Amino acid sequence: QRPVVLYLHGGAFCLGTTQSYRHLGYTLAQEAQAVVLLAEYRLLPEATIPDALEDCHSAYRAILEAGVPPERVTVAGDSAGGNLTVQLLQRAAAGAD
């Protein structure tokens, strides 16, 4: 089973889409020989940062519910996505997954 990378895009919590990160996701998948999933999350000002975190957490839970063991999942991101990555991993480490 190939590893899975859940990639959270950047954009200062108010910009960026999975569409704008497709090329990066494709390149990452090729280089890491992994399945790369780009999570879409709600953006400011229509939503809050906790809303964005909840969307990312839902994506992570869906990967686990699909049968991928946690040790085969890497969460990564840049800028705001990096912030969400840290928050998501803290939540998972606390047993909130």
Side-chain angles (χ1 to χ4, degrees):
Q1 183 181 28
R2 292 174 67 190
V4 174
V5 176
L6 174 60
Y7 195 86
L8 309 176
H9 67 79
F13 296 103
C14 60
L15 303 169
T17 65
T18 55
Q19 180 72 20
S20 64
Y21 275 74
R22 278 186 348 175
H23 182 72
L24 182 128
Y26 174 79
T27 301
L28 183 58
Q30 296 301 308
E31 294 295 323
Q33 297 182 13
V35 174
V36 175
L37 303 172
L38 303 172
E40 194 76 57
Y41 57 85
R42 290 173 280 176
L43 302 173
L44 297 173
E46 291 83 9
T48 66
I49 293 172
D51 292 333
L53 177 59
E54 186 55 40
D55 294 343
C56 296
H57 191 221
S58 293
Y60 178 73
R61 280 193 317 260
I63 292 167
L64 298 180
E65 289 169 3
V68 180
E71 61 272 11
R72 302 288 296 164
V73 180
T74 298
V75 182
D78 66 290
S79 189
N83 180 296
L84 291 167
T85 296
V86 170
Q87 290 186 68
L88 177 58
L89 294 175
Q90 287 175 331
R91 187 185 266 197
D97 51 72

